[in-house]
Amino acid sequence: MSHKYKMLPLAAVMLVMSLVFSAQAAPVVPDFVPLVQSAGKAVVNISTEKKVMQRGGMPSEMFRGLPPEFERFFEQFEGRGRSAKPRTQRSLGTGFLISSDGYIVTNNHVVAGADTVLVNLQGSTGKEHSLKAQVIGTDEETDIALLKVKADAPLPFLNFGNSDKMEVGEWVLAIGNPFGLGHTVTAGILSAKGRNIQSGPFDNFLQTDASINPGNSGGPLINMEGKVIGINTAIIASGQGIGFAIPSSMAERIVSQLKQDKKVSRGWIGVTIQDVDENTAKALGLPEATGALIGSVMPDEPAAKGGMKDGDVVLEVNGQKIDDSSALLRAIATETPGSKVKMVVWRDGERKTITVQLGERNLKASSGKSGTVERDAPSIGLSVRPLTKEEARAANVKPGTGLLIVDVEPGKLAAEAELREGDIILSANLKPIKSVEEFSKILREDAKKRGVIMLQLQRQGQTFFRSLALSDTSDSDKK
């Protein structure tokens, strides 16, 4: 009897089986080429220019290449005491088109204070051409800006995806302009969700290990469907493979408001809040340490009118579970001022439902059109005035304290220390400030003895210190 097939040697069979199993076990890396070719056309490079006053002396270039916080620190000592001269400050960033008629999303810090914003588009031939962009609206609290360019033909654009549905471990792609290297593509995975890096009141970042560097700011983080699930925004300078992006679930709402109203309106209830720890949960009889504890309810504000009390723990807002104080802040801020929200609170050992009609959050104080504007001792270049009752309430500052900065004079010490309009001065040399007169007195007397003044400032709910050297100001002001 003849055999049609011959038996393979055992060694050959084992080799074939090992190859099959190893092929099955090998990780499958996706092909990013089609995604880059389609999505990359909608990514733009952004360059900005603004005129700033700089004193003569040591060239600022000697400090370039340092981390931004060190660069800003050393720049404040450049040429102190010499006459101020205008110079052009340039910066680079990234953005992406979200419509065929030229709307572009980027970071607010990419375009903040710019006199000119240029957008470099990548044409069908691969050659770039520049268009001047108009800033439609910005939102400092989430670091989002919306731009618009006029084009002769429809432009390629990207759609937002749903960042809430993304799972940690999924592939993502970043396209940007790091260090001026246009249309650089990096790939990685979604490393984590819901990161709070203390950059603002609404921190809820996506974390990725796709390489992100200075210049990537404002660029898209794209999923494998070619949709934007994040806006690349921040990095940890001392870390590698740790980048952060604003989730699309937040960004899409902000962009929609900026497109419609050129500003963002947020809900407000008028309370102070904090997280619930294990001991607090036990003391209140809560089954678990969750929710946002109401520290105080401000009189005559929406929460008070809705019946909320000190010591309440907010567990839900409109059916959305509240895990901590940050979650409550985000949940309320995403609602429209004037709308009513149902809140489940824990009070006296049981759950209660209350309804609150929201006010409007307004942490950025007004421009100084109301109230008396007074200039401080002219040496540091500030115009300030007392806070109104409404502004103190919005900033959670004790009434009768704090000064609002309504103007910063270019070339003066305040500008060099990066003080901004809308900042609130809380104290000077650790002394609380209640009036313009008190502030001027500290500048004249206390600071003169030390040669420096340390200001405690509040900016969009964040408190920090700035120190200004005063030794040479009297000479420079005479020039």
Side-chain angles (χ1 to χ4, degrees), residues 262-415:
K262 299 185 179 181
K263 67 175 186 176
V264 177
S265 298
R266 294 185 169 92
W268 157 270
I269 58 175
V271 296
T272 61
I273 54 178
Q274 63 189 73
D275 293 340
V276 177
D277 58 25
E278 293 290 345
N279 291 331
T280 302
K282 290 179 181 179
L284 295 174
L286 269 170
E288 58 178 332
T290 189
L293 175 63
I294 304 301
S296 63
V297 178
M298 301 178 189
D300 301 321
E301 295 299 333
K305 294 176 181 178
M308 188 169 286
K309 298 181 179 180
D310 296 359
D312 283 350
V313 177
V314 181
L315 302 176
E316 294 180 11
V317 173
N318 284 346
Q320 175 185 345
K321 187 176 184 296
I322 301 299
D323 294 319
D324 52 29
S325 57
S326 295
L328 175 60
L329 189 61
R330 291 193 301 270
I332 295 299
T334 56
E335 300 292 337
T336 305
S339 64
K340 294 182 178 180
V341 296
K342 288 187 177 180
M343 307 175 70
V344 176
V345 302
W346 183 265
R347 182 189 298 169
D348 299 330
E350 60 182 5
R351 295 164 65 98
K352 294 181 181 293
T353 300
I354 61 176
T355 300
V356 176
Q357 185 171 10
L358 303 181
E360 183 172 359
R361 174 185 172 90
N362 183 22
L363 282 189
K364 187 171 182 179
S366 65
S367 61
K369 294 181 181 179
S370 61
T372 302
V373 178
E374 300 184 56
R375 183 166 292 278
D376 74 318
S379 56
I380 66 173
L382 285 179
S383 289
V384 296
R385 65 165 172 81
L387 295 171
T388 66
K389 181 180 178 181
E390 292 74 19
E391 290 164 347
R393 169 192 66 80
N396 199 21
V397 173
K398 184 179 178 181
T401 64
L403 295 178
L404 174 67
I405 297 177
V406 295
D407 183 59
V408 180
E409 186 177 351
K412 296 292 186 177
L413 297 180

Side-chain angles (χ1 to χ4, degrees), residues 462-476:
Q462 305 296 314
T463 302
F464 58 96
F465 287 94
R466 284 280 192 274
S467 295
L468 290 74
L470 304 176
S471 55
D472 295 323
T473 56
S474 57
D475 291 333
S476 62

Side-chain angles (χ1 to χ4, degrees), residues 215-228:
N216 275 108
S217 291
L221 191 66
I222 303 170
N223 64 13
M224 294 307 296
E225 297 176 357
K227 294 185 177 181
V228 178

Side-chain angles (χ1 to χ4, degrees), residues 207-241:
Q207 181 183 327
T208 179
D209 67 349
S211 182
I212 296 174
N213 291 286
N216 275 108
S217 291
L221 191 66
I222 303 170
N223 64 13
M224 294 307 296
E225 297 176 357
K227 294 185 177 181
V228 178
I229 54 93
I231 303 173
N232 299 321
T233 298
I235 59 174
I236 294 179
S238 59
Q240 294 184 1

